[in-house]
Amino acid sequence: MKRAAPRSTLRGLIKKHKPRLRLATNMEFLVHLNFLLFLHRLAEEARINAFESKSKIIKLEHVISAAKITLKKSRG
Amino acid sequence: MPDPAAAPRTSASAGLGHDSGVSPSAVPRRAAEEWARPAPRRKHLSDSRKQKPTMAPDLETATPRLLLRKIFQTQPEVSPVVPKITEPWEPRESGSETHSERLSNTSMKIQLPDLVSEDTAIITFHTSRNKRKLSISEFERAVDKRSSQNLAKSMSDDKSSTRSLQASFSTPVPPNTIEKRGLLRRPKNRKTVNVDSFEGGVEQNLLQIKDAENYLVDSQAVSMIGTTVMMNDTKIALNNTELFVQPQLSEKSQGRLSALEPQLLARNVLERGSRAFNTAEPESQKEHLASNVDPEEEMVPEDHEDSALDHADRSGPASVGKAGSPPRDHQDYAQQSSYAEQVSGLVSGITELQSNMEYSEKLGEKLRKQTTSHINEKRQARTPVTPVEEEVMIEDAENQNSGKDVVEFPENAGARRLSRQSSAAFTRYSEPTRKKSIEPVEQTVDMDDGAVVEDTSELEEHKTEEEELSEDGAKSEELSMEMPAFVHAMADQVSLSLSTPRSLKMAVPKLSPKPPPAKQAPKKNRTEQRRKREPALPSSLVKKIFRHYVKMPVARDVFKVVEKCSEQYFKQLSNDLEAYTKHAGRKTVERADLELLMRRQGLVTDEMPLNVLIERHLPLEYRKLLIPVATSGNKVIPSK
């Protein structure tokens, strides 16, 4: 049960970082898609880390190391 | 009179199509009334009626006849009105109905002719007094017709037709009016806003804000001043926003500034500030507002003065506050004065930034923080000093959270080199002091030497909180690289767009809730800050999505890291998108830019096109918007 993509929030977020940048119509969904895939990758990495440390719960250190890798990957 | 016998009668009449919710006790009463109402009208029938009841004495005790008779005797007769043909029909009909249904045929027959004769002689209603014998079936048919006609009009509950007719007969107004009254709406008293008075009020508020700089930030003040302060280029930003500043103020302030120049130039900011700036504050601040079109270079010396003034202003209370705690501040004060020169480099840059700031106390607070950070770093007598400093800072911070944020952000946003470096250092210092963590301060200071900070928030998030992440170093480099672009973007913003100040404003207040002293900030500021907080994804959404993707139990503190990660991600995303759009010579991010981004991220490959990803991860409604679908008839959805 996914929630709707927060279109205005996404627009505001981009505007906050890049005020002069404009977004075409319906581009928020692609941004949302990108964000979903980013979280997806982050979750996968975290899951792998937790599995490697033989823990059944995702812990902070798993996520942190996963975040480093994922952010580097998503730099484009 | 009313008795159970009346009840079945009324229910019988209800069989015609009315009366479902009538209480049994009310029914007899109503029946009696209904009988009573048509009865008086039928003057001509009175004779027959009086005669009739005697005809069937063997019927139940409370027969309609008897009731009618009694009513006749007691109630005054109403002259029959002939408004419509149908109306006289119905009460009689309904009454006759009930009679017919419940009473014996003989009695009904006796009475029916009277009613029917009237019904049939519509035109000669008031004249005809002839009794005609009609069959019951004929009568009932007529009754049915009339009742159906009256159903639409009738508003009563049980015996609706009779009631409405009766109402129309005797009191034509009440039921309708009652219902209409229910539908009537209260007159809407709307006061149109008087624009002049509104603007006047806004000006007054601004003036009040200027007067009360040292104290709580007024909400309007924050918004107004935020807009003024938040401008990327401090001076220029201020120029555009001062709609309400009186030009006289600028002259005054300038005069005062010139008077104070020599003092300021001496850079004994702290000491001077306490004296001179408590008076010069309002002017200096007003001057900031008033200074319109001065180019940056010209403003620089003024800025120094102003900033020094502001510095002094803000540091004034700070120094005063510090002086207030002599045992602690001995070192500090001496240090501060001695550090005045050391800080001068920073101050010059900071003053430029601070010239934008409206709130002296906040600057002073920052200055104190700076000095304390200086002290912390350079003196290594940290432990005794910093807690003291922090306490003092906390006190001020509590009062000036919003202003602090306002101050910090323009500092970061400043595009000047001095301000850049100083702001970078400043923010770095302020951040850690705010966070009350000394070690991270050192680290961040060491790390970010020379790196320019784009956002204090960034610093906060990544330097102080994510020190563990080795990406801090990388980030600082990235930030420094991105800074020129960012700076250019800021420098380009000569004309203030609402979005810029709003975004800046929103970015800045975000900083305020972070430090612990913010807890004690006035509620108004907190709510304002929350309102003006930059747009951030709802954490619940992020949690939900992450949890869905991870499919495993997650510790609670993990979500904070995920949130920070997503914020950093959005920063990267916006930077990348801007780079791609600029490369394409456009100003609007298009689908191709996003596709290129995803390709570079490795999400879109030759095997995995974008549309497949869209179809996989986005809900159907969005897919329809994003992927054009061709339908029959040469139609494409969405239509271009």
Side-chain angles (χ1 to χ4, degrees):
Chain A
M1 225 174 310
K2 303 274 177 63
R3 277 156 59 162
R7 298 177 73 169
S8 54
T9 315
L10 291 172
R11 272 184 176 261
L13 220 49
I14 294 184
K15 234 181 183 188
K16 174 190 74 161
H17 292 300
K18 298 282 166 202
R20 288 292 182 179
L21 197 61
R22 299 184 201 175
L23 266 189
T25 317
N26 292 340
M27 281 305 118
E28 303 100 26
F29 300 126
L30 290 179
V31 170
H32 185 68
L33 172 71
N34 212 342
F35 179 61
L36 287 178
L37 292 168
F38 164 78
L39 284 184
H40 191 44
R41 272 208 276 198
L42 186 70
E44 288 293 329
E45 288 285 328
R47 205 142 51 97
I48 293 170
N49 289 349
F51 195 72
E52 281 177 358
S53 62
K54 297 205 196 354
S55 136
K56 296 231 168 166
I57 309 175
I58 307 257
K59 296 216 182 104
L60 198 65
E61 43 281 2
H62 309 148
V63 174
I64 288 170
S65 60
K68 285 192 208 172
I69 298 172
T70 316
L71 276 171
K72 275 221 153 80
K73 269 198 200 168
S74 337
R75 249 196 292 164
Chain B
M1 318 326 157
D3 74 357
R9 250 173 280 129
T10 53
S11 56
S13 69
L16 278 187
H18 321 288
D19 179 17
S20 53
V22 184
S23 64
S25 60
V27 163
R29 226 173 289 125
R30 265 198 228 102
E33 288 176 358
E34 287 164 1
W35 289 116
R37 280 189 221 117
R41 295 185 206 125
R42 297 164 196 156
K43 263 194 215 168
H44 58 284
L45 287 178
S46 61
D47 307 329
S48 56
R49 280 196 195 284
K50 280 169 188 168
Q51 293 167 19
K52 298 305 171 190
T54 57
M55 303 269 307
D58 52 290
L59 289 176
E60 303 153 20
T61 51
T63 57
R65 254 175 283 113
L66 290 173
L67 290 171
L68 272 173
R69 203 196 330 161
K70 286 174 185 172
I71 291 162
F72 269 122
Q73 289 159 1
T74 54
Q75 292 193 2
E77 286 188 3
V78 180
S79 65
V81 182
V82 192
K84 293 176 194 174
I85 291 172
T86 58
E87 289 168 0
W89 276 100
E90 298 188 12
R92 264 170 268 140
E93 289 172 359
S94 54
S96 56
E97 276 173 44
T98 57
H99 275 292
S100 62
E101 298 208 36
R102 291 298 162 167
L103 298 179
S104 66
N105 284 345
T106 56
S107 61
M108 289 312 298
K109 277 181 188 167
I110 291 162
Q111 293 197 354
L112 274 177
D114 302 331
L115 299 172
V116 171
S117 64
E118 289 187 353
D119 292 342
T120 53
I122 293 169
I123 298 169
T124 61
F125 158 67
H126 46 283
T127 58
S128 73
R129 296 195 174 191
N130 305 329
K131 299 174 199 172
R132 261 188 281 154
K133 293 202 175 175
L134 293 177
S135 63
I136 293 176
S137 58
E138 187 180 338
F139 174 79
E140 283 178 354
R141 261 180 266 128
V143 169
D144 287 334
K145 242 194 283 172
R146 297 302 170 183
S147 62
S148 61
Q149 281 176 11
N150 226 30
L151 262 178
K153 293 184 202 171
S154 68
M155 295 175 300
S156 58
D157 33 16
D158 64 336
K159 284 209 174 179
S160 54
S161 59
T162 54
R163 281 190 143 271
S164 61
L165 289 172
Q166 291 155 7
S168 58
F169 244 91
S170 55
T171 52
V173 177
N176 293 325
T177 52
I178 288 167
E179 292 219 354
K180 278 177 189 171
R181 242 178 249 136
L183 294 173
L184 277 180
R185 310 238 165 136
R186 274 184 244 157
K188 296 180 184 175
N189 297 326
R190 287 204 186 123
K191 293 182 190 174
T192 56
V193 177
N194 187 4
V195 179
D196 298 336
S197 62
F198 170 75
E199 287 179 355
V202 172
E203 293 188 24
Q204 285 173 13
N205 282 331
L206 275 182
L207 291 175
Q208 286 171 9
I209 289 157
K210 286 171 201 166
D211 296 340
E213 288 167 346
N214 296 335
Y215 305 99
L216 290 180
V217 180
D218 187 71
S219 62
Q220 285 190 353
V222 175
S223 57
M224 301 298 304
I225 292 165
T227 52
T228 59
V229 177
M230 289 295 104
M231 292 315 118
N232 299 328
D233 286 339
T234 57
K235 304 292 159 49
I236 299 170
L238 285 176
N239 300 340
N240 289 342
T241 54
E242 49 164 319
L243 300 173
F244 302 102
V245 176
Q246 308 304 323
Q248 320 148 11
L249 299 172
S250 58
E251 298 165 14
K252 270 193 218 170
S253 53
Q254 299 227 354
R256 292 209 189 187
L257 284 174
S258 58
L260 291 162
E261 265 190 22
Q263 295 180 2
L264 294 175
L265 293 176
R267 297 286 175 201
N268 223 347
V269 174
L270 294 175
E271 294 170 351
R272 261 179 265 122
S274 57
R275 294 171 229 148
F277 285 104
N278 291 330
T279 55
E281 264 184 354
E283 287 83 11
S284 63
Q285 292 170 357
K286 288 171 187 168
E287 186 213 348
H288 294 310
L289 288 179
S291 60
N292 286 334
V293 199
D294 303 343
E296 286 189 10
E297 297 81 23
E298 292 175 24
M299 289 295 285
V300 167
E302 286 181 2
D303 289 341
H304 287 294
E305 300 170 26
D306 302 340
S307 54
L309 283 169
D310 292 340
H311 238 328
D313 283 339
R314 283 129 208 191
S315 59
S319 55
V320 168
K322 284 181 184 170
S325 56
R328 303 180 296 171
D329 295 334
H330 282 318
Q331 288 182 356
D332 305 336
Y333 209 75
Q335 291 169 0
Q336 287 171 5
S337 54
S338 63
Y339 278 118
E341 292 84 14
Q342 297 184 16
V343 179
S344 65
L346 272 178
V347 168
S348 59
I350 292 163
T351 54
E352 288 180 356
L353 296 171
Q354 288 174 346
S355 60
N356 302 330
M357 299 187 230
E358 302 288 333
Y359 302 98
S360 58
E361 282 187 354
K362 285 145 193 167
L363 277 182
E365 180 188 332
K366 296 213 171 154
L367 185 57
R368 270 184 302 114
K369 286 181 183 176
Q370 278 187 358
T371 55
T372 55
S373 60
H374 275 289
I375 292 162
N376 295 340
E377 290 177 342
K378 301 181 182 177
R379 277 273 168 133
Q380 299 173 3
R382 287 165 205 159
T383 41
V385 174
T386 48
V388 170
E389 291 303 329
E390 289 179 356
E391 288 173 31
V392 180
M393 290 188 317
I394 291 166
E395 292 165 2
D396 294 340
E398 295 167 8
N399 298 331
Q400 306 155 2
N401 284 331
S402 56
K404 200 198 331 173
D405 301 331
V406 165
V407 170
E408 289 177 355
F409 194 91
E411 293 178 355
N412 297 329
R416 300 180 205 120
R417 290 173 194 173
L418 279 179
S419 57
R420 247 187 272 162
Q421 292 172 358
S422 58
S423 66
F426 185 78
T427 53
R428 270 180 251 129
Y429 300 141
S430 56
E431 283 179 0
T433 52
R434 242 189 300 117
K435 309 245 176 202
K436 310 264 177 315
S437 55
I438 301 171
E439 293 77 22
V441 176
E442 295 174 355
Q443 290 181 14
T444 55
V445 171
D446 300 337
M447 273 169 39
D448 298 339
D449 263 347
V452 185
V453 180
E454 280 189 4
D455 281 333
T456 47
S457 59
E458 224 180 341
L459 276 179
E460 285 177 2
E461 296 164 9
H462 306 294
K463 309 303 180 190
T464 58
E465 295 185 9
E466 293 185 349
E467 296 153 11
E468 337 156 1
L469 300 176
S470 59
E471 56 191 0
D472 283 353
K475 279 181 200 159
S476 60
E477 291 162 9
E478 290 173 5
L479 292 171
S480 54
M481 284 192 319
E482 293 153 354
M483 185 56 186
F486 182 78
V487 169
H488 295 325
M490 297 300 218
D492 289 341
Q493 297 180 7
V494 176
S495 64
L496 302 172
S497 59
L498 271 183
S499 62
T500 321
R502 206 177 356 106
S503 62
L504 292 173
K505 216 193 318 172
M506 287 189 293
V508 165
K510 180 197 165 198
L511 305 172
S512 62
K514 296 220 174 171
K519 290 173 200 164
Q520 306 198 18
K523 246 193 179 173
K524 186 170 63 164
N525 283 356
R526 224 182 301 145
T527 49
E528 290 165 12
Q529 288 152 10
R530 209 174 297 126
R531 241 188 291 127
K532 289 179 217 130
R533 194 175 298 181
E534 74 235 12
L537 273 185
S539 70
S540 57
L541 180 75
V542 177
K543 271 194 199 179
K544 209 174 185 180
I545 297 173
F546 184 75
R547 217 182 252 134
H548 171 269
Y549 280 135
V550 96
K551 293 192 216 312
M552 264 169 67
V554 184
R556 247 178 270 134
D557 43 354
V558 159
F559 291 118
K560 291 214 163 158
V561 178
V562 172
E563 258 179 72
K564 283 213 190 71
C565 218
S566 55
E567 285 169 24
Q568 174 63 17
Y569 159 78
F570 272 112
K571 269 185 208 120
Q572 285 181 350
L573 175 93
S574 53
N575 289 334
D576 294 340
L577 285 179
E578 190 196 25
Y580 299 151
T581 337
K582 270 219 164 85
H583 179 75
R586 277 185 268 110
K587 283 193 186 168
T588 319
V589 175
E590 289 289 340
R591 189 197 177 100
D593 302 324
L594 274 164
E595 179 148 10
L596 176 62
L597 170 75
M598 296 182 72
R599 192 168 268 276
R600 283 181 67 110
Q601 283 180 346
L603 294 166
V604 170
T605 60
D606 297 331
E607 286 85 18
M608 177 70 73
L610 176 64
N611 283 352
V612 171
L613 287 175
I614 290 174
E615 289 187 6
R616 266 202 208 161
H617 292 94
L618 288 186
L620 176 66
E621 302 81 32
Y622 302 158
R623 192 200 318 169
K624 264 196 277 183
L625 291 173
L626 284 171
I627 304 177
V629 178
T631 54
S632 69
N634 275 351
K635 254 197 281 179
V636 176
I637 300 165
S639 61
K640 292 190 183 170

